Amino acid sequence: LEEGLTYTQVAAGLSHTVLLRSDGTAVVCCQNPCKVPSLQSWMEWLTAQPARLFYVASPSWQSRALPPLILQASVDGCAVCFTTLAGEEFCRFDAAAADPLTEAC
């Protein structure tokens, strides 16, 4: 992440995560090749102009009292580990591969 930028919102699905940056750009991480649609119009593209539109965070997301915390979950067969995007471990708990998630928490 470039200096001065922050992630302002996150949306996650079964096999993808989309992060919204403070400059209005979006970044996607997924298992299959995918990309965030361009907001540049055809005229802007043809004339090599930057897009006038940009992605914005939902106002309801920004009104929360606590800052958002984005975590990545991983399972190593005997534990579930949550880390920050900077790679710092946030929490870890024991869980066998066959444990239902409702019982592991």
Side-chain angles (χ1 to χ4, degrees), residues 13-89:
L14 180 63
S15 62
H16 71 280
T17 302
V18 179
L19 301 163
L20 180 62
R21 292 179 176 176
S22 56
D23 67 354
T25 59
V27 179
V28 64
C29 306
C30 59
Q31 291 178 344
N32 301 317
C34 56
K35 66 179 190 172
V36 177
S38 172
L39 294 177
Q40 194 175 33
S41 70
W42 280 106
M43 183 57 77
E44 291 166 341
W45 180 82
L46 286 171
T47 58
Q49 298 295 313
R52 290 178 292 159
L53 300 175
F54 54 90
Y55 292 97
V56 295
S58 167
S60 63
W61 175 269
Q62 294 175 344
S63 66
R64 297 183 183 194
L66 297 174
L69 179 61
I70 300 170
L71 300 174
Q72 177 178 334
S74 61
V75 180
D76 66 7
C78 60
V80 175
C81 180
F82 291 92
T83 57
T84 66
L85 292 178
E88 300 167 354
E89 187 173 299

